[in-house]
Amino acid sequence: MEDNRIGRRTVLRTAGALAAATAVTGCGTLMGTGDSRGSSGGGKKRLVVSNSGGTYNDALTKAIYEPFTKETGITVTTVNYQSAQIIAQVKQGRPQVDLLDNTLLNFQKMARLECLEPVDHDRLKNVKGAGIAEHNLPEHAVGKNVWCSLMAYRTDSLKRVPKNWADFWNTDAFSGPRSLQSAEVDLPELEFALLADGVPLDKLYPLDVNRAFASMSRIRGGVKKFWNTGALPAVLLGRKEVVATSLWGGRADELIKQGMPVAYQWNGARRMTNGWGIPKGAGNTDPAYKLIDFSLRPEVQAAFAKLFPHGPVVSGAIKLLADDVLATLPTSPQNLKIGFDADAAWWDKNRDAVTKRWQEWADA
């Protein structure tokens, strides 16, 4: 399953900017058939970028691709590939794209399979002094925007605000049906189970899988649905079929805008990062580096965050955003300190085994 949350059809916040979201799979990256979707404009040079499409691509086009083309004359054409397709292209020595937009977790896998070029971070002037976290600058990628999985709940159904995952797990004090994510759609939510069981944020990894599944078993009877599409948890909340759920950040925004009594709890949010990677053997690296560097300018990072609820990786962008926008972003100062970053290396190593065990647990 392609991860991120980037192809998620989250509602864009800027008035009149872009169309409202439609449901798709996954915090899913690089999805589709590989058909070209369009270009950011004219120019003698051409850069082919693969991303997950939808409103994510619309926001990228408005905030990054079009301004980049206007400044450099380099046309950005976007396509839509599964990562497996790109891996096959690289193995055949014929990568069909110049630059990839994907999760750092998927890039971890692609690097392990020797399908990515190492990134020369010294070629990126906007990385220097930008305050980008070290884990967002791995050898084979460059992080650019952060999304998260977190809790949402109905304020009219709960007498008290759930403050953490321990409260979510406490079905006596916070009564009502819950929903949690299925491993069919994204990473199993073992971290939430461990936080509910008292593990501190900074002691999560390596994950204690046995303890996590024991914790999951304790709440299983209170879970009405293990959701398997990104749109479903917000639907369940909106219909009042559940009082609380895990979901991808931004998925409940439309409910909140409609005045429904729904709120987020950022405490214990699991962050993941989307970024740039260059396929091994790609022959158009100079324009690729130019686009990467352009996307890391504080003003460009801020422009994208205003259109799509992913947090900037560049600290200077935070200063350019209003408080109401910052409140919705996983990398805002107030939200950053109470969430955690998923360990991409751990998940790359253990994902298949954990997913298999989750499926066995769910079927038992």
Side-chain angles (χ1 to χ4, degrees):
M1 164 82 218
E2 302 288 290
D3 282 301
N4 273 146
R5 300 178 312 221
I6 58 175
R8 302 164 178 177
R9 308 296 205 256
T10 347
V11 176
L12 302 181
R13 289 183 300 253
T14 304
L18 298 167
T22 56
V24 297
T25 55
C27 232
T29 314
L30 302 182
M31 303 183 63
T33 61
D35 296 333
S36 174
R37 288 192 304 274
S39 163
S40 64
K44 296 180 179 179
K45 298 179 181 178
R46 179 171 176 261
L47 189 66
V48 181
V49 179
S50 183
N51 67 43
S52 64
T55 53
Y56 180 72
N57 178 70
D58 294 341
L60 289 170
T61 299
K62 187 176 182 66
I64 301 177
Y65 302 153
E66 288 179 347
F68 174 75
T69 296
K70 184 176 181 180
E71 179 174 302
T72 65
I74 299 171
T75 297
V76 178
T77 298
T78 56
V79 295
N80 196 270
Y81 285 120
Q82 292 276 351
S83 56
Q85 293 173 281
I86 296 173
I87 290 170
Q89 292 170 7
V90 170
K91 293 297 185 182
Q92 294 166 5
R94 297 193 299 271
Q96 302 298 304
V97 298
D98 305 308
L99 188 60
L100 308 176
D101 184 326
N102 210 322
T103 66
L104 295 192
L105 175 58
N106 278 349
F107 285 145
Q108 181 87 19
K109 175 182 177 180
M110 295 182 73
R112 173 167 49 81
L113 296 176
E114 300 183 348
C115 291
L116 292 178
E117 296 283 356
V119 173
D120 183 356
H121 294 99
D122 290 336
R123 293 180 64 175
L124 303 170
K125 65 180 182 179
N126 290 311
V127 165
K128 298 178 178 66
I132 301 175
E134 184 178 352
H135 66 267
N136 285 329
L137 293 172
E139 182 181 359
H140 292 84
V142 180
K144 65 179 176 65
N145 50 275
V146 180
W147 54 274
C148 73
S149 296
L150 73 168
M151 182 198 311
Y153 59 95
R154 291 201 58 114
T155 59
D156 61 340
S157 299
L158 297 173
K159 296 179 180 179
R160 291 185 290 142
V161 172
K163 296 182 178 179
N164 48 44
W165 289 106
D167 287 347
F168 186 98
W169 251 246
N170 188 344
T171 56
D172 292 327
F174 300 85
S175 61
R178 271 81 160 147
S179 182
L180 286 168
Q181 181 175 284
S182 165
E184 299 171 28
V185 63
D186 206 350
L187 299 181
E189 296 172 328
L190 300 193
E191 294 96 337
F192 299 159
L194 289 170
L195 291 172
D197 202 44
V199 178
L201 285 174
D202 60 350
K203 302 294 184 182
L204 282 170
Y205 298 99
L207 299 183
D208 185 334
V209 176
N210 290 334
R211 183 175 177 179
F213 275 98
S215 179
M216 290 291 291
S217 293
R218 285 193 291 274
I219 199 176
R220 184 171 183 171
V223 176
K224 178 176 182 177
K225 174 71 176 178
F226 287 98
W227 52 270
N228 55 10
T229 68
L232 184 55
V235 171
L236 295 173
L237 273 179
R239 292 176 178 172
K240 211 172 182 179
E241 293 184 30
V242 298
V243 300
T245 184
S246 63
L247 80 176
W248 295 322
R251 278 294 189 172
D253 287 357
E254 188 63 21
L255 298 178
I256 295 170
K257 289 179 181 179
Q258 292 172 6
M260 288 194 183
V262 171
Y264 292 116
Q265 174 52 262
W266 288 88
N267 191 14
R270 180 174 69 182
R271 296 187 294 263
M272 293 192 71
T273 303
N274 276 86
W276 302 113
I278 300 173
K280 190 172 184 178
N284 203 19
T285 56
D286 284 343
Y289 271 99
K290 288 179 180 178
L291 179 58
I292 294 171
D293 205 36
F294 182 87
S295 73
L296 297 176
R297 294 179 183 177
E299 64 274 17
V300 175
Q301 289 257 298
F304 180 75
K306 291 175 183 177
L307 294 176
F308 205 83
H310 284 194
V313 298
V314 173
S315 58
I318 299 296
K319 301 175 183 178
L320 303 177
L321 296 169
D323 289 345
D324 61 333
V325 175
L326 288 173
T328 68
L329 301 178
T331 57
S332 67
Q334 63 269 34
N335 294 333
L336 191 64
K337 62 185 178 182
I338 57 176
F340 65 93
D341 296 289
D343 187 326
W346 190 93
W347 274 110
D348 179 55
K349 181 180 179 180
N350 295 281
R351 182 175 186 175
D352 289 346
V354 169
T355 299
K356 181 176 183 294
R357 180 165 175 181
W358 193 97
Q359 290 168 339
E360 293 171 347
W361 173 85
D363 292 340

